[in-house]
């Protein structure tokens, strides 16, 4: 990509960063790169980066990626990611990038079809005060489900969603456009140390609009653990939660009948079966997937096959009279005499005050604790016990074309290594559609030529995703301006399980016929299974790079636990009925309620918690 194009587009990408502090840190890093003293500190040469020859710049980047300071490693990784993003994405639906042509990527699958929007919105064009029975903050698996149940019970419900209203008509299937429209922090958010990219939904319907449709119920073993950790007798193991699991699975039309395996899934299944490892068919909340027109659903399902809350519970709520307000950023919970009495929100620069008999927070495990902390509510456990289900990957290069962006999202998985410690902690193998942005961000860099070869060879690449059930946890805190910060890094205990996942992932792809296996370390480690070297040698070389922050690449698609349910206020935020311990009339019904990590994709567990909690609340308010 020409330097002038990067210079032209980079300010726009930097403007998309989630907070002024992120932009400031990146600018500071770029300024250091442009000074001799900075060069000495960052890569050991008393010369500015712009003064270096091309080979010297490559060496400087490698030195920064091995720097003892995590923030320097993170800065180098951020620079590589942003430039790679500019290389493989475009904002112009008419543009067909040279990189796409080289890799055989088709780009968007035509223009979006015109589909009417059937959830009626309330427009806010001045400072406004409203009143209702229940105000629900968030509209994803938790908030959307709660709104549908509460409105269906005859209650007057107002739903506040921070994102916009996007449906089939808005799904351009351009990656950057999708991330800007429908992802939290426009898909550029990270943990505080920059070591993990944080992906979550920020659109009406939340993550259910852009997720992989994977619909596992809460495993029985996890339900037992949750009751034990929470100090409950039969909240998660009881009939009420079981009935809610069944109810949400029915409404979201969970099935295994629309799961034709893609080439990616076939590779995963072959490797698993050849090794004698467990393989299962993925339950999904989708009906009518064709396989041929699929693969773009992380940018929105144009077929209308995905049974998101937007297509189900929010439709129910709207038809029952619920009022829905988008682009509404909840600031604080209002209280009166120790009881929640409403929510104060910003909507397009106007102040919205919603007074209610009850408040339900379902803004997700990243923003629900931020609202609690800004409000001074939730007790000392608010924001604590953050789990991230960290995801890393091992890549396989095949002689035949895989076209990993095609096919149904997820149809096969393996729980062979879900219990590595005898306590239910380990990892799942999953695979997912891979469009250019994801590997450009995730794959490591050792030279311009090798990185270009990796990305332009995407059509021959498949991925073994390693979804870790993290035992240990981090924390959400807030800045002075009230915005959230995600403090999280993997513990040594959990890193040992990541290492096992990388080893077994390499073994799996080799068994499936990969000619080359590539790690997701910041400097990629490569293994050719036919060369006579072993998977143990591959892992030893990955060990030398490391699995920690900004050593191995991580994403989080599932965040949980920051306002967890429990019997005791000392280590939990809400009780058995989802009511906040220190504030009557305030409820939490989303993934932040999880006492520990779910170990499976959490959508159904979140929806079941919201269904059970809102059913109890509806009966109490009737």
């Amino acid at each position: 990509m020409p330097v002038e194009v990067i210079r032209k587009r980079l300010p726009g990408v930097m403007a998309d960063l989630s907070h002024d502090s992120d932009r400031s840190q990146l600018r500071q890093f770029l300024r250091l790169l442009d000074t001799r003293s900075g060069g000495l500190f960052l890569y050991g040469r008393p010369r500015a980066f712009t003064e270096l020859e091309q080979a010297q710049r490559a060496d400087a980047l490698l030195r920064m990626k091995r720097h003892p300071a995590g923030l320097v490693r993170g800065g180098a990784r951020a620079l590589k990611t942003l430039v790679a993003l500019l290389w493989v994405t475009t904002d112009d639906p008419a543009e067909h990038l040279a990189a796409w042509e080289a890799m055989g990527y088709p780009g968007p699958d035509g223009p979006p079809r015109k589909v009417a929007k059937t959830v009626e919105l309330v427009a806010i064009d001045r400072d406004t005060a409203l009143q209702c029975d229940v105000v629900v903050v968030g509209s994803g698996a938790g908030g959307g489900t709660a709104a549908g149940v509460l409105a269906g019970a005859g209650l007057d419900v107002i739903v506040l969603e921070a994102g916009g209203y996007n449906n089939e008509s808005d799904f351009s299937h351009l990656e950057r456009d999708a991330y800007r429209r429908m992802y939290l922090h426009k898909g550029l958010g990270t943990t505080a140390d920059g070591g993990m990219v944080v992906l979550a939904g920020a659109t009406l319907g939340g993550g259910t609009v852009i997720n992989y449709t994977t619909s596992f119920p809460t495993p029985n073993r996890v339900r037992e653990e949750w009751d034990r950790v929470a100090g409950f007798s039969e909240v998660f193991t009881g009939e009420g939660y079981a009935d809610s699991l069944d109810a949400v699975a029915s409404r979201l039309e969970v099935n295994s009948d629309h799961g034709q395996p893609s080439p990616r899934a076939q590779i995963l299944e072959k490797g698993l079966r050849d090794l004698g490892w467990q393989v299962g068919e993925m339950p999904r909340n989708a009906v009518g997937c064709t396989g041929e027109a699929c693969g773009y659903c992380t940018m929105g399902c144009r077929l209308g096959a995905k049974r998101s809350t937007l297509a189900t519970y929010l439709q129910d709520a709207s038809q029952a009279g619920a009022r829905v307000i988008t682009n509404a950023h909840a600031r604080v919970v209002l209280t009166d005499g120790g009881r929640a009495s409403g929510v104060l929100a910003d909507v397009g620069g106007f102040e919205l005050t919603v007074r209610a008999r009850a408040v339900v927070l379902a803004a997700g495990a990243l923003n629900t604790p931020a609202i609690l902390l800004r409000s001074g509510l939730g007790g000392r456990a608010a924001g604590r016990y953050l789990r991230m289900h960290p995801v890393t990957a091992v890549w396989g290069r095949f002689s035949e074309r895989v076209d990993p962006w095609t096919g149904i999202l997820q149809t096969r998985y393996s729980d062979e290594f879900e219990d590595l410690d005898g306590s239910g902690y380990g990892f799942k193998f999953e695979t997912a559609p891979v469009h250019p942005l994801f590997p450009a961000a995730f794959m490591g860099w050792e030279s311009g030529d090798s990185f270009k070869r990796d990305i332009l060879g995407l059509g021959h690449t498949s991925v073994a995703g390693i979804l870790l059930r993290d035992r240990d946890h981090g924390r959400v805190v807030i800045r002075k301006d009230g915005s959230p910060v995600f403090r999280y890094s993997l513990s040594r205990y959990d890193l040992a399980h990541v290492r096992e996942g990388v080893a077994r992932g390499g073994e799996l792809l080799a068994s499936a016929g990969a000619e080359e296996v590539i790690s997701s370390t910041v400097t990629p480690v490569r293994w050719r299974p036919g060369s006579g070297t072993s998977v143990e040698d591959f892992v030893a070389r990955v060990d030398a790079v490391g699995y920690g922050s900004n050593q191995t690449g991580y994403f989080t698609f599932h965040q949980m636990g920051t306002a967890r349910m429990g019997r005791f206020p000392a280590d939990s935020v809400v009780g058995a009925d989802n009511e906040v311990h220190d504030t009557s009339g305030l409820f939490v019904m989303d993934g932040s309620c999880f006492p520990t990590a779910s170990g499976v994709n959490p959508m159904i567990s979140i929806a079941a918690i919201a269904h059970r909690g809102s059913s109890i609340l509806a009966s109490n308010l009737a």
Side-chain angles (χ1 to χ4, degrees), residues 569-609:
D571 62 1
S572 65
V573 174
V574 302
D577 293 346
N578 296 86
E579 190 167 27
V580 174
H581 291 304
D582 66 6
T583 310
S584 59
L586 176 60
F587 300 81
V588 177
M589 299 182 191
D590 60 19
S592 58
C593 294
F594 291 12
T596 64
S598 61
V600 298
N601 303 56
M603 176 176 62
I604 298 300
S605 299
I606 294 170
I609 285 174

Side-chain angles (χ1 to χ4, degrees), residues 325-606:
I325 302 170
T326 58
N327 300 304
H329 300 269
R331 284 161 46 190
V332 294
V333 175
L334 303 172
T335 59
D336 185 4
R339 180 177 180 84
S341 59
V343 171
L344 187 65
D346 293 321
V347 185
F350 299 107
E351 185 174 89
L352 171 66
T353 304
V354 182
R355 295 287 179 179
R357 297 164 61 194
V359 175
V360 173
L361 295 183
L366 302 176
N367 280 314
T368 284
I371 297 170
L372 289 169
L373 292 168
R374 288 196 296 266
S375 306
L377 304 174
R380 70 184 194 182
R384 296 181 184 268
Y385 308 108
L386 171 66
R387 266 78 175 206
M388 291 287 214
H389 269 188
V391 173
T392 191
V394 183
W395 306 84
R397 183 72 51 78
F398 293 81
S399 60
E400 68 274 16
R401 285 198 68 87
V402 179
D403 291 342
W405 47 81
T406 62
I408 291 171
L409 292 165
Q410 290 186 312
T411 61
R412 298 294 186 270
Y413 71 95
S414 177
D415 278 337
E416 180 72 20
F417 302 100
E418 67 174 349
D419 185 11
L420 292 174
D421 61 358
S423 298
Y425 287 86
F427 62 87
K428 296 176 92 72
F429 278 128
E430 297 181 353
T431 188
V434 179
H435 295 262
L437 186 152
F438 189 74
F442 215 146
M443 296 186 85
W445 186 97
E446 58 189 330
S447 72
D449 287 342
S450 65
F451 185 69
K452 185 183 293 185
R453 185 170 62 251
D454 288 340
I455 302 304
L456 297 185
L458 183 59
H460 291 264
T461 304
S462 193
V463 61
I466 301 158
L467 174 64
L468 181 75
R469 185 183 184 214
D470 43 345
R471 186 195 71 170
D472 298 321
H473 52 81
R475 184 178 182 183
V476 175
V477 298
I478 55 173
R479 301 180 179 93
K480 289 183 180 180
D481 66 0
S483 61
V485 177
F486 318 130
R487 293 181 179 170
Y488 182 97
S489 59
L490 283 157
S491 68
R492 289 185 179 182
Y493 188 92
D494 289 325
L495 286 173
H497 292 171
V498 172
R499 182 182 187 273
E500 183 70 10
V502 170
R504 302 288 76 81
E507 192 176 357
L508 186 159
L509 289 169
S511 180
E515 294 184 332
E516 184 179 41
V517 174
I518 309 170
S519 71
S520 289
T521 43
V522 291
T523 303
V525 174
R526 302 174 189 276
W527 171 43
R528 288 190 171 273
S531 66
T533 58
S534 66
V535 69
E536 288 77 18
D537 173 74
F538 169 66
V539 174
R541 289 186 288 124
V542 177
D543 289 346
V545 181
Y547 302 91
S549 177
N550 292 305
Q551 293 175 327
T552 285
Y554 294 98
F555 277 70
T556 168
F557 300 88
H558 312 144
Q559 305 86 36
M560 56 200 81
T562 50
R564 67 180 185 173
M565 294 175 71
R567 181 180 174 188
F568 303 107
D571 62 1
S572 65
V573 174
V574 302
D577 293 346
N578 296 86
E579 190 167 27
V580 174
H581 291 304
D582 66 6
T583 310
S584 59
L586 176 60
F587 300 81
V588 177
M589 299 182 191
D590 60 19
S592 58
C593 294
F594 291 12
T596 64
S598 61
V600 298
N601 303 56
M603 176 176 62
I604 298 300
S605 299
I606 294 170

Side-chain angles (χ1 to χ4, degrees), residues 64-361:
M64 287 189 288
K65 288 153 77 71
R66 296 191 295 263
H67 200 283
L71 287 177
V72 176
R73 298 196 304 269
R77 182 171 174 234
L79 180 61
K80 165 258 173 183
T81 299
L82 290 178
V83 173
L85 181 154
L86 295 174
W87 177 41
V88 300
T89 66
T90 178
D91 300 321
D92 183 356
E95 183 179 14
H96 196 81
L97 297 177
W100 293 357
E101 189 72 32
M103 70 179 69
Y105 178 66
D109 52 339
R113 63 194 183 98
K114 297 299 181 183
V115 177
K117 293 180 176 176
T118 53
V119 173
E120 187 173 347
L121 302 183
V122 175
I124 303 297
D125 56 8
R126 61 178 65 86
D127 290 350
T128 303
L130 300 173
Q131 195 156 354
C132 62
D133 290 321
V134 186
V135 56
V136 178
V137 179
S139 65
T145 301
V149 171
L150 292 164
L155 295 168
D156 183 11
V157 175
I158 291 177
V159 179
L160 304 181
E161 166 55 48
Y165 185 0
N166 298 280
N167 77 342
E168 292 87 339
S169 299
D170 305 300
F171 300 154
S172 68
H173 286 181
L174 286 167
E175 287 187 274
R176 278 305 301 147
D177 179 63
Y179 278 78
R180 283 195 180 104
R181 283 176 181 266
M182 296 185 288
Y183 283 74
L184 182 67
H185 299 154
K186 301 178 182 180
L188 296 176
T190 68
T191 50
D193 62 3
M196 187 178 298
V197 176
V198 177
L199 295 178
T203 185
L204 190 64
T208 70
V209 174
I210 44 85
N211 70 9
Y212 291 156
T213 70
T214 305
S215 300
F216 292 111
T218 319
N220 288 337
R221 182 172 187 168
V222 173
R223 291 168 64 183
E224 292 168 0
E225 179 183 295
W226 283 2
D227 268 349
R228 183 173 66 254
V229 169
F232 296 149
S233 56
E234 290 187 345
V235 170
F236 294 105
T237 56
E239 290 184 7
Y241 187 71
D243 289 344
S244 287
L245 283 170
D246 291 341
V248 299
S250 175
R251 184 65 187 97
L252 300 179
E253 299 184 59
V254 174
N255 69 88
S256 300
D257 302 326
H258 299 260
Q260 176 185 340
S262 66
R264 299 181 318 276
Q266 292 172 33
I267 287 170
L268 183 72
E269 183 169 9
K270 181 181 186 306
L272 291 168
R273 292 199 184 281
D274 286 356
L275 291 166
W277 295 347
Q278 187 270 342
V279 59
E281 293 188 15
M282 198 81 80
R284 303 172 55 248
N285 66 319
V287 177
C289 295
T290 65
E292 297 174 359
C294 293
Y296 291 78
C297 269
T298 54
M299 298 174 252
C301 175
R302 287 182 179 174
L303 296 176
K306 186 182 293 187
R307 313 308 293 151
S308 64
T309 57
L310 179 59
T312 56
Y313 282 110
L314 285 171
Q315 297 291 334
D316 299 342
S318 182
Q319 290 171 13
R323 289 169 281 175
V324 178
I325 302 170
T326 58
N327 300 304
H329 300 269
R331 284 161 46 190
V332 294
V333 175
L334 303 172
T335 59
D336 185 4
R339 180 177 180 84
S341 59
V343 171
L344 187 65
D346 293 321
V347 185
F350 299 107
E351 185 174 89
L352 171 66
T353 304
V354 182
R355 295 287 179 179
R357 297 164 61 194
V359 175
V360 173
L361 295 183

